[in-house]
Amino acid sequence: MLYSFQAMLANFEYKQIKKRLSRGRLAAAEQGKWTNSNKAPLGYKKDTYYKDLDLGIAERELHFLMELYEIYEREFELLKTELPRKFLSF
């Protein structure tokens, strides 16, 4: 019986922690902060001076990402025009 009571309390505490974390992530997102992980997404950098996750643009990665997006756009346009022709011409 003691074990089941401890399990019930542990489950309650787990749910409380989950709610608090969820509310904290929501509040940070409303403030415009990155909340998904400690590492900033590609193309952004963390503000290390203030020790928070406010994001700024990473200039070193910007050129690479713009090139990657241009390739994606070019290939996507090719797929939109070539694939329908290939499948409709049989």
Side-chain angles (χ1 to χ4, degrees):
M1 184 161 128
L2 181 63
Y3 176 75
S4 62
F5 184 69
Q6 286 177 331
M8 182 184 71
L9 285 178
N11 187 30
F12 174 76
E13 186 62 27
Y14 169 75
K15 288 180 181 179
Q16 286 295 105
I17 291 170
K18 197 172 169 183
K19 283 180 192 175
R20 289 183 193 127
L21 286 171
S22 179
R23 288 182 193 141
R25 285 188 191 110
L26 183 61
E30 287 173 350
Q31 294 173 6
K33 294 184 178 181
W34 175 251
T35 60
N36 289 346
S37 69
N38 194 25
K39 186 177 179 189
L42 188 62
Y44 293 90
K45 62 182 176 184
K46 290 191 324 183
D47 187 0
T48 55
Y49 180 76
Y50 292 108
K51 304 273 192 232
D52 62 8
L53 293 175
D54 286 332
L55 298 177
I57 295 175
E59 298 295 329
R60 291 177 50 199
E61 297 173 351
L62 186 60
H63 180 69
F64 167 74
L65 289 174
M66 290 175 73
E67 231 175 90
L68 189 65
Y69 186 73
E70 287 172 8
I71 292 170
Y72 165 76
E73 278 187 325
R74 198 169 46 242
E75 295 298 320
F76 187 71
E77 286 300 318
L78 184 66
L79 284 175
K80 284 187 350 189
T81 58
E82 293 298 318
L83 279 180
R85 283 190 213 140
K86 191 178 271 189
F87 288 113
L88 293 177
S89 64
F90 56 90

